[in-house]
Amino acid sequence: MTFSSLLPLFAAIPLLAAGLSVVVRRAWLDRALLLLVPVGTLIGAVALLIHHQSNAVVAHSVGSFSGVVAIPFVSDTFTAIMLAVTGFATLCASVFLLKTGEDRFRFATALILLLSGGVNGALLTGDLFNLFVFVEVMLLPSYALIAITGTWRRLGIGRSFVIVNLVTSTVLLIGVGLVYGAAGTVNLAALAGAASEDPMIGLAVTVVLVALAIKGGMVPVHGWLPSTYPMTSAGIMALFSALHTKVALYAIFRIYSITFEGAAPWMPVLLVLVLATMLVGSFSTMASKTLRGALAFQMVAGVGHILVAVVVMTEASLAAGMFYMVHHIITMGGLILASGALEHTYGNAKLGGLSGMLGREKLLAVLFALGLGSLVGLPPTSGLWGKAGLVVSAAAAEDAAGVSGAWIAGLTIGGIIVASIISLIALQRVWSTLFFGHVQETYRPDDTRTGRGDPKPLTADVKCSARLLAPATVLIAASLALFFFAGLVLPLFETAAHGLMDPSSYIKAVLG
């Protein structure tokens, strides 16, 4: 048995565990699976990262068929990084779900394990059709997770999530079909450079990328994200934040870099949309009336920042974009789980409904200050290095698709700075609203049936418990670690970016 032959287990084990959870109905087994599967993914991903120090790419064709017709599972440094960070975020969200008791919902564990299996498969697959299949494996349990968690409004709002994703999945499948019709294959290694050489293949790949951009939450088709994610529970929203949009962005990085091998002719349009995504996400944060609503709009702004890497399309920009994506998964997960702890304890998610918390929740005040500061890009947080890397790489942008490098640099750097200033103003309002102002006298404890209990006097013993805050604390601590140990991890991102810009090892590993 070779190392590469173990790759399908990343998808198979969560799917088998989901089946076991359904067949054997034991609460202790569900809790064990909910924790052990992401732990196993994290350990396996770290092992992959170590293996990639001496082997740039490992690939396995299921059934040992030839490379073009088999189902290829491929891993390089970028894949291993994403497996590790999504496994870590899934573990923290799962712990939070256990602490809030949401794991007791019927089939919740099985649905989360199915979601994990789909995510791991989408990160590892080496062809477009199986990417579509794993994305659907990822989405189907998500529809059910929205239905069983969150407030009663989820039942109405969830329809937007289902409709948008069903339509987008149809567009994705059409795009995959067009690629096969134009190129005769959907294997990414076999499609290397094809989109830049053949306009028909380029158009077909563009349809695939458009579908992924919608799933990623890019403006102007982002509205479904801030309207649906906050309606789920905080634990499920943290899962969706770490997995759904990030898998789409990962796929955009992978597909765009290998099929176009440079700037696509529509890159100027992408540049405008990326700028709009950063600015609309940041501006909209100011108007949000709920804590998790503000975070959802920051997710949209984060999508724009991450895709700056694709616009500039250099090794430095891709490394910075990957670093920013990892930072965003960890930091956003920490903030969502911290807001979930507030909601679970005080039964209120509205800005203004929670105030004067500084004296009561000092640890939360620190966690929010660090997390929100990281989204803005303030030291000492990982967001600073992510944005600094994007700015430095954008400053060295070269001419592409008829747009001068100076314009690309000016617009992207200007967009990052303006979006950061607006985010700073909006998130400062969020923090001060939560922790300053009048000290509230009543609270509405969380009610898993109705969402909100009846108002009760707020006594001194009502505080977020340490166990409830632990997952958010771990994630925000990881964000801090990324800042202080950036020098140790940056070479990993540089290696991953080199693998995207020079796919020769990827092609050789898949096609032989």
Side-chain angles (χ1 to χ4, degrees), residues 53-349:
Q53 299 302 306
S54 54
N55 298 275
V57 183
V58 292
H60 176 72
S61 295
V62 176
S64 298
F65 290 98
S66 65
V68 178
V69 297
I71 298 175
F73 281 77
V74 194
S75 173
D76 59 7
T77 303
F78 187 24
T79 309
I81 290 172
M82 290 299 293
L83 283 171
V85 72
T86 54
F88 176 54
T90 301
L91 175 62
C92 292
S94 297
V95 171
F96 185 84
L97 290 169
L98 288 174
K99 297 302 178 188
T100 56
E102 290 178 82
D103 62 302
R104 74 185 185 286
F105 290 127
R106 191 169 177 81
F107 301 127
T109 297
L111 293 169
I112 294 170
L113 293 171
L114 273 174
L115 172 62
S116 298
V119 169
N120 292 351
L123 294 174
L124 284 163
T125 186
D127 78 63
L128 295 177
F129 180 73
N130 287 296
L131 172 67
F132 164 77
V133 171
F134 281 118
V135 166
E136 291 308 296
V137 172
M138 188 175 76
L139 284 172
L140 287 174
S142 302
Y143 303 146
L145 285 171
I146 287 178
I148 64 173
T149 63
T151 66
W152 282 106
R153 286 188 63 198
R154 69 187 185 272
L155 297 178
I157 297 295
R159 283 179 298 190
S160 301
F161 183 87
V162 173
I163 292 171
V164 169
N165 278 287
L166 283 178
V167 172
T168 310
S169 293
T170 303
V171 175
L172 176 60
L173 184 58
I174 290 171
V176 173
L178 290 174
V179 171
Y180 186 79
T185 181
V186 289
N187 186 298
L188 283 174
L191 287 169
S196 59
E197 296 170 0
D198 186 334
M200 291 297 291
I201 299 175
L203 178 61
V205 171
T206 300
V207 174
V208 172
L209 293 173
V210 167
L212 292 171
I214 298 173
K215 288 181 179 293
M218 177 184 276
V219 170
V221 282
H222 67 292
W224 63 272
L225 192 158
S227 67
T228 57
Y229 277 21
M231 294 302 111
T232 65
S233 70
I236 297 301
M237 182 178 174
L239 269 179
F240 286 4
S241 167
L243 306 179
H244 277 302
T245 55
K246 302 309 184 296
V247 166
L249 295 175
Y250 165 88
I252 289 174
F253 272 54
R254 176 75 68 191
I255 295 169
Y256 184 90
S257 62
I258 199 167
T259 59
F260 279 99
E261 290 188 337
W266 39 259
M267 193 280 288
V269 177
L270 177 64
L271 171 61
V272 172
L273 294 179
V274 164
L275 291 172
T277 304
M278 285 192 290
L279 297 175
V280 169
S282 301
F283 269 115
S284 301
T285 306
M286 302 182 75
S288 181
K289 296 180 179 178
T290 65
L291 176 55
R292 286 201 279 129
L295 295 178
F297 280 114
Q298 280 297 303
M299 288 174 60
V300 174
V303 170
H305 285 83
I306 292 166
L307 290 179
V308 166
V310 178
V311 171
V312 179
M313 204 59 192
T314 61
E315 279 192 24
S317 73
L318 289 175
M322 293 174 192
F323 185 93
Y324 194 86
M325 181 151 52
V326 169
H327 133 78
H328 210 259
I329 291 173
I330 292 172
T331 306
M332 188 58 73
L335 286 168
I336 293 171
L337 295 183
S339 67
L342 270 174
E343 288 178 36
H344 187 77
T345 305
Y346 298 98
N348 202 323

